[in-house]
Amino acid sequence: MVRRSNLESQPTRWIPAILAERSGALADAVEIADATIAVWYDISTALKSIIGSQGVAALYDRSVSLTAKAHPWLVPWRSHDDHSVDLDALQSVIARQTTDDAAAGAGALLQTFYDVLVSLIGSALCEQLLSSVREGVQVAPITRGL
């Protein structure tokens, strides 16, 4: 049985959990891409009214730039000159990766976005703003060792 963890003590644990829950246990790259884009839509919806589309695009760009150091296939998928984020293109590029690369890159991009946002506004406010994104996500308890 999966218990809901205290998200205050482990605020970023929902990021990998949300991808796993939304994509399924034996997800392929296409399912991971679909789940990732669904999370991005939720994030954009949660933040757009507060920081605007340009703010979301700026945070997305920074996150892609940082994540692309470990996952270079993300480099071309930054926002456009009109400050929009092309989630269709991101979905396509994630879907073309191996399952492991798709999961690692998509998870790292979301985690980096979260970390960048936390560095700007703090974890408490970040958790509050993104609470609608993680609603219903079951987070497994932390286990020590193997």
Side-chain angles (χ1 to χ4, degrees):
M1 175 183 217
V2 177
R3 290 186 339 201
R4 189 168 187 96
S5 176
N6 179 350
L7 292 175
E8 290 303 313
S9 65
Q10 295 297 324
T12 61
R13 289 195 36 92
W14 64 269
I15 292 172
I18 199 168
L19 276 180
E21 187 171 291
R22 289 188 181 192
S23 61
L26 300 173
D28 62 16
V30 171
E31 293 165 324
I32 292 166
D34 292 345
T36 302
I37 298 311
V39 173
W40 278 111
Y41 276 118
D42 290 350
I43 289 171
S44 179
T45 300
L47 296 178
K48 206 169 24 175
S49 66
I50 297 162
I51 63 172
S53 296
Q54 290 181 340
V56 173
L59 290 172
Y60 175 84
D61 275 351
R62 181 68 180 142
S63 301
V64 168
S65 177
L66 293 170
T67 308
K69 293 175 185 174
H71 305 280
W73 50 267
L74 286 169
V75 170
W77 308 111
R78 296 176 70 182
S79 68
H80 298 282
D81 292 336
D82 66 352
H83 303 290
S84 66
V85 177
D86 188 351
L87 292 179
D88 291 334
L90 179 63
Q91 183 175 22
S92 177
V93 75
I94 292 170
R96 288 193 309 264
Q97 305 308 308
T98 66
T99 300
D100 290 343
D101 286 347
L109 181 58
L110 287 166
Q111 182 66 54
T112 302
F113 184 90
Y114 179 92
D115 293 342
V116 169
L117 188 58
V118 165
S119 73
L120 295 171
I121 65 173
S123 62
L125 183 54
C126 183
E127 285 295 311
Q128 183 179 0
L129 293 175
L130 296 179
S131 64
S132 64
V133 176
R134 71 166 195 264
E135 279 180 5
V137 174
Q138 298 295 312
V139 180
I142 298 172
T143 56
R144 303 283 181 220
L146 296 174

